[in-house]
Amino acid sequence: MLEIKNLHVSLETEDKQILKGVDLTVEAGKVHAIMGPNGSGKSTLSYVLSGRDGYAVTEGSATLEGADLLDMEPEERAAAGLFLAFQYPVEIPGVGNMTFLRTALNAQRKARGQDEMNATEFLKLIRAKAKELNIDADMLKRPVNVGFSGGEKKRNEILQMAMLEPKMCILDETDSGLDVDAMKLVADGVNALRDGGRGFLVITHYQRLLDHIKPDLVHIMADGRIIKTGGADLALEVEQHGYAHLLEEVA
Amino acid sequence: MALPQTKLDATEARIAVLDMPRGGWSTTARTAALARLREMGLPGRRDEYWRFTRPDTLVQPEPPAAALFDPRETAAFDAIDKLKIVFVDGVFDAEASDDLTLEGVTIERLAEASSDLHWAASLYGQLEIRGQAAVPRPLAALNTAFATDGLLIHVTGKPSKPISISYRHASETSDAILHHVVKVDAGAEATILENGPAAARFNKCMEVDVADGAKLHHVRTQGRDHERRAATHVFARLGAESVFKSFTLTANGALTRNEVVIELTGDDALVHVAGACVGDGDFLHDDTVFITHDAVNCESRQVFKKVLRNGATGVFQGKILVKAGAQKTDGYQISQSLLLDEDSQFLAKPELEIYADDVACSHGSTSGAIDEEALFYLRSRGVPEPQAVNLLTLAFLAEAVAEIEDERLAEEITTRIEEWLIRHRS
C-alpha cells in the first residue's frame, strides 16, 4: 500500500535535515503505529506524505500502490486515496462543514472519473456517518471547525475520513487534546474503518490510543530515522520505560 | 474661497456639454444645484476625498468609450418576481418595462412628472444638499442639476414584489445621468433592486426618505462591462424606528465610486450598508460612506469586502459621525480586502468622530492574502487549488452577502459571485 524508501527531507527555508532515511512499508489491511519523542520527525513525515509546502525531499521515495506520491499535488494524493487526519484541524470561517465535505467528496470522485454524488444521496450518507461519531446536525451546518471543541475537531476529522473512504489513512496525534471518552469515540470511528484493504499509520506520543486501536506493528522514530520496530508490546515498553533507554539501546 | 482656475475651467467645460431640463417643479432645485456645483467645482485629484481615486474620467466633458461585454449570463434577479423598469443608456425603455402600477406604491418618471405641486419637490435635491454639509459631493450636485430622467417612487403600503430597475448599456459612448427619489411612508415597506452596467459613464443619484417605522431594502448589482465608469450617490434620511438596508455587488468596471450618505434623524432607527466587490485587472472600486447619528439608540453597520487581483484597486472611505446627544449609538464598521496577488492594492480610510459619551462604536480594516493553512487543508481533502481558492474567496465575501435579508436575493448574489469567479479563474 504505502511504501517509503530511504526518505531524506529537509526544511526548504533553512538548511536543516529532519528526516534522515526513513524506510517503512504499510501493507493493505494493517495498522502501523509510529511513536517517538518530540522533534523526532513524526509530524514532518505526515506533512511530506500529504504534500504540504516548505519541505524538500533530498533523497528517497514514497509511493502509494506503486504511484509516486511525491510527484503529485496534495489534491491528487487525496484522490489517489491518501488521507491525513490533522493534529491541528484548520478552522475555515464562511465555509459550511457540509459544503466542504460535499465539495471534497465530489472533487475526488470527479478526479477518479466517477459520477458526482447527488445532494440526496450525500445527505443520507453523511447523516448516517455523523450519527456513528456522535456529531449532531448543528456541527454539520457550522463553518468548518469554527467554534468546535478539541474533541469535536478530531471527530470531524474522522467523519471526513469515513466519508472520503481513503485507502491509506495517516492519523497525526489524533489523541492529543482528547479526554478518555472522546478518545474512545475517535478510536471506535477508526476501528469501524478497518478492513482488509485499508492501511493505517497512527502517529502518537502515548500508548493510550493504541489500547483502543490495536496496531499490527509499532515503530520507534528518533532523530529522523526509525530505530526500532516491534509488535504492540513495544508500545507498552515505551509507556513503562520512556524513550531514553530505547535510544541508549540503539546508540 | 475662489476655485483654482483649472478646476473652474474643468467645471465649466463639463457644464457646457450638458442641457438642463427646464419647466416644472424641479427647476428651482436644479438651478440651485447648478449654483452649488459652480461654487464647489468638480472633484480634482487633490481634494480630500479623491486622493485614492482619480476623478478625471468622471469629470471630463465626454466619457471614455466603453466596449460592450457579453459574459453569457442571465441578467441579475431574472428569476425573481418583480416590477421591471428598464433604462437603456439612461433612456427609459417603455417596451421593455412593465406597466408602472403596483399596489402600495406610485411610480412616476422624473421626466414626465410636470405638475407644479409634486410630493417629490420637497425631497429632490434636498437630501443631497444635506449630504453636502461636511464633505462636498459635486458629482451629486451635477446630477441634481442635469438629470435627464429617473423615478419618483412613493411607497404608501407594502408592495407584493420588488421594484426592479435595470440599466442596460447599448452605446459605447453613452453618458447617462439619472436621479431617483424614494419616499417610504410611515409603516410602509418595499424592496428596490438595481442591476446592469447602465452606460459608458453613469452618474446616478438616489434620494431616500424613510419615515417613522418604515422599511426599505435595497439590493443592487453593478457589473458586466469592463470599461464602464460610474459615480453613484445614495442620500438617505431615516425616521424613528425605521430600517434601511442596502447591499451592492460590483463585478468588473474600470471605475466605480459609490457614495452613501446616511442621516439617522429618528430614535431607534437602523441602517446596514454592505458591499462586495470582485475586481480583476483594470478595476478601481471606491466605497465612500458617511453615516451621521443624530438621534438616540440607533444602530449602523458598514460591512465592505473586496476581492482584488491582477492589479485591481479597492478604496474604502468610511465615517461614523455621532453628534452630541446621539446617546446609545451602536456603530460598527468593517472593511476588508482579499488580495489575490501582490499587484493589487487596497486603500482604506476609516474615520470615527464622536461627540456623545454613551456610545459603542467599533471599526476595523484589514488586507490579506488567501489563508495558506486553509488552502492546504482543502487541497488535502481533494479539492483542486483553483476551486479551493474560489471557496475561500466566497467565504471571505459571505459576511457582506449575509447582510441581505431576503434569502432568495442573497442566493442570487452568491450565484453571480460564483459565476464571476469561474470566469476569472487563474
Side-chain angles (χ1 to χ4, degrees):
Chain A
M1 175 66 58
L2 176 69
E3 208 165 339
I4 303 167
K5 282 184 185 158
N6 193 29
L7 191 65
H8 286 67
V9 171
S10 54
L11 288 180
E12 244 170 24
T13 46
E14 49 187 303
D15 189 24
K16 188 181 172 190
Q17 193 151 45
I18 306 212
L19 299 183
K20 301 170 180 173
V22 174
D23 286 283
L24 177 67
T25 302
V26 181
E27 307 82 5
K30 300 291 186 196
V31 174
H32 286 225
I34 295 188
M35 301 180 75
N38 289 328
S40 56
K42 305 188 298 293
S43 285
T44 297
L45 179 63
S46 73
Y47 291 149
V48 169
L49 291 175
S50 57
R52 184 190 279 264
D53 280 344
Y55 301 97
V57 175
T58 52
E59 211 182 324
S61 68
T63 58
L64 184 68
E65 290 186 311
D68 181 4
L69 273 180
L70 303 177
D71 195 36
M72 297 182 203
E73 295 295 334
E75 54 266 35
E76 293 170 333
R77 301 180 196 206
L82 186 78
F83 181 92
L84 169 67
F86 281 52
Q87 183 180 359
Y88 304 108
V90 181
E91 296 186 7
I92 312 182
V95 178
N97 214 6
M98 203 95 100
T99 308
F100 161 62
L101 258 172
R102 192 163 166 229
T103 307
L105 181 68
N106 280 331
Q108 290 201 15
R109 291 174 75 106
K110 200 175 158 195
R112 291 194 288 257
Q114 298 164 325
D115 285 340
E116 293 196 357
M117 190 181 277
N118 70 41
T120 324
E121 264 179 286
F122 174 80
L123 216 60
K124 216 172 130 184
L125 186 67
I126 196 167
R127 280 191 182 137
K129 303 268 189 200
K131 203 176 165 200
E132 285 170 21
L133 286 159
N134 203 6
I135 288 174
D136 60 23
D138 183 51
M139 259 175 81
L140 293 177
K141 276 187 211 147
R142 269 149 56 187
V144 180
N145 293 324
V146 177
F148 286 26
S149 70
E152 286 174 333
K153 283 181 182 170
K154 296 300 172 80
R155 260 146 58 202
N156 201 29
E157 293 293 289
I158 305 304
L159 172 67
Q160 291 167 36
M161 196 163 92
M163 290 295 293
L164 298 170
E165 298 187 322
K167 293 173 185 162
M168 178 70 219
C169 309
I170 304 172
L171 282 75
D172 187 9
E173 301 199 19
T174 296
D175 52 339
S176 67
L178 294 188
D179 60 32
V180 181
D181 294 333
M183 189 180 329
K184 178 131 196 336
L185 213 54
V186 163
D188 288 347
V190 172
N191 288 329
L193 288 166
R194 288 180 75 164
D195 64 22
R198 191 168 281 134
F200 286 88
L201 187 61
V202 180
I203 296 171
T204 182
H205 267 296
Y206 305 105
Q207 181 265 340
R208 215 168 42 155
L209 179 68
L210 303 178
D211 282 343
H212 300 287
I213 306 173
K214 287 268 179 279
D216 295 295
L217 278 180
V218 174
H219 309 277
I220 306 296
M221 195 162 179
D223 193 27
R225 284 187 198 90
I226 287 170
I227 57 161
K228 189 166 184 178
T229 295
D233 297 347
L234 186 56
L236 283 171
E237 199 183 321
V238 168
E239 186 76 1
Q240 279 161 16
H241 307 290
Y243 292 113
H245 91 110
L246 282 174
L247 296 176
E248 281 165 23
E249 204 174 284
V250 294
Chain B
M1 197 176 70
L3 294 177
Q5 193 61 39
T6 47
K7 203 169 213 188
L8 210 61
D9 293 345
T11 305
E12 289 307 323
R14 176 72 181 118
I15 291 170
V17 298
L18 293 166
D19 287 316
M20 184 185 293
R22 298 272 170 187
W25 56 269
S26 68
T27 303
T28 319
R30 289 176 185 275
T31 312
L34 178 57
R36 208 156 52 236
L37 171 63
R38 286 199 153 114
E39 219 168 282
M40 291 183 260
L42 281 168
R45 291 179 65 185
R46 275 183 287 278
D47 294 357
E48 176 68 17
Y49 284 88
W50 288 92
R51 285 193 186 155
F52 299 147
T53 300
R54 289 186 68 151
D56 314 34
T57 53
L58 296 173
V59 167
Q60 69 193 51
E62 304 296 337
L68 307 176
F69 166 69
D70 179 11
R72 292 191 185 128
E73 62 179 8
T74 50
F77 314 123
D78 200 50
I80 305 253
D81 185 28
K82 59 198 179 294
L83 180 92
K84 190 168 83 175
I85 303 165
V86 179
F87 290 90
V88 181
D89 292 315
V91 178
F92 179 71
D93 184 338
E95 246 173 64
S97 302
D98 292 337
D99 180 34
L100 302 187
T101 50
L102 180 65
E103 202 180 320
V105 60
T106 60
I107 305 170
E108 290 167 88
R109 285 176 48 211
L110 172 64
E112 288 190 337
S114 57
S115 93
D116 282 335
L117 279 171
H118 199 276
W119 62 264
S122 64
L123 293 173
Y124 188 89
Q126 302 310 304
L127 296 184
E128 177 244 300
I129 292 178
R130 297 173 70 100
Q132 303 279 7
V135 177
R137 305 174 197 280
L139 291 169
L142 179 139
N143 183 300
T144 298
F146 296 104
T148 54
D149 205 349
L151 298 172
L152 309 174
I153 300 172
H154 185 187
V155 184
T156 51
K158 294 184 177 176
S160 59
K161 51 188 176 184
I163 298 143
S164 153
I165 313 170
S166 280
Y167 305 106
R168 293 185 191 155
H169 176 198
S171 150
E172 296 197 347
T173 55
S174 54
D175 193 16
I177 307 178
L178 295 179
H179 192 118
H180 307 310
V181 179
V182 181
K183 181 176 160 67
V184 191
D185 284 353
E189 178 172 0
T191 299
I192 292 180
L193 308 176
E194 294 182 282
N195 78 286
R201 183 170 66 184
F202 190 34
N203 180 330
K204 192 203 64 185
C205 197
M206 185 161 95
E207 293 178 284
V208 179
D209 187 42
V210 191
D212 294 355
K215 280 186 186 171
L216 183 67
H217 305 272
H218 175 226
V219 180
R220 68 175 160 176
T221 65
Q222 304 170 298
R224 215 182 71 177
D225 300 3
H226 296 285
E227 294 165 359
R228 61 151 189 87
R229 286 153 209 281
T232 79
H233 290 82
V234 174
F235 295 97
R237 179 173 62 191
L238 275 74
E241 293 176 29
S242 67
V243 172
F244 178 47
K245 291 190 177 180
S246 175
F247 172 90
T248 303
L249 169 68
T250 309
N252 304 350
L255 175 58
T256 308
R257 161 92 163 199
N258 291 332
E259 294 196 32
V260 177
V261 186
I262 310 276
E263 231 185 316
L264 295 150
T265 60
D267 296 348
D268 306 303
L270 178 151
V271 64
H272 288 188
V273 191
C277 88
V278 284
D280 188 348
D282 185 16
F283 173 93
L284 188 145
H285 185 274
D286 174 334
D287 282 300
T288 294
V289 183
F290 202 111
I291 295 183
T292 304
H293 284 259
D294 198 9
V296 174
N297 201 33
C298 292
E299 176 187 317
S300 70
R301 265 175 83 80
Q302 302 173 43
V303 180
F304 288 89
K305 302 261 189 167
K306 299 179 200 291
V307 174
L308 306 164
R309 75 192 308 172
N310 290 327
T313 300
V315 174
F316 175 79
Q317 306 182 102
K319 179 156 182 170
I320 307 174
L321 168 65
V322 181
K323 289 198 175 177
Q327 301 294 10
K328 308 282 177 199
T329 285
D330 180 0
Y332 174 76
Q333 178 197 90
I334 182 97
S335 63
Q336 295 181 306
S337 75
L338 177 61
L339 304 175
L340 294 177
D341 53 49
E342 289 183 356
D343 298 331
S344 302
Q345 60 172 342
F346 178 54
L347 306 159
K349 191 170 89 168
E351 292 178 276
L352 291 179
E353 197 175 327
I354 302 173
Y355 297 100
D357 54 10
D358 183 15
V359 302
C361 281
S362 61
H363 69 92
S365 184
T366 64
S367 254
I370 284 275
D371 178 352
E372 290 295 331
E373 288 287 315
L375 186 62
F376 175 66
Y377 192 63
L378 286 168
R379 293 178 71 192
S380 79
R381 296 302 179 247
V383 184
E385 188 171 7
Q387 204 182 342
V389 169
N390 285 359
L391 205 57
L392 293 174
T393 304
L394 265 181
F396 167 77
L397 295 172
E399 190 189 351
V401 178
E403 293 293 324
I404 304 171
E405 207 169 285
D406 186 315
E407 273 183 29
R408 288 169 320 152
L409 295 175
E411 268 172 42
E412 173 85 23
I413 295 294
T414 301
T415 306
R416 297 193 82 74
I417 299 171
E418 281 170 343
E419 286 172 356
W420 188 93
L421 289 171
I422 288 166
R423 283 202 303 276
H424 291 257
R425 203 169 263 184
S426 49

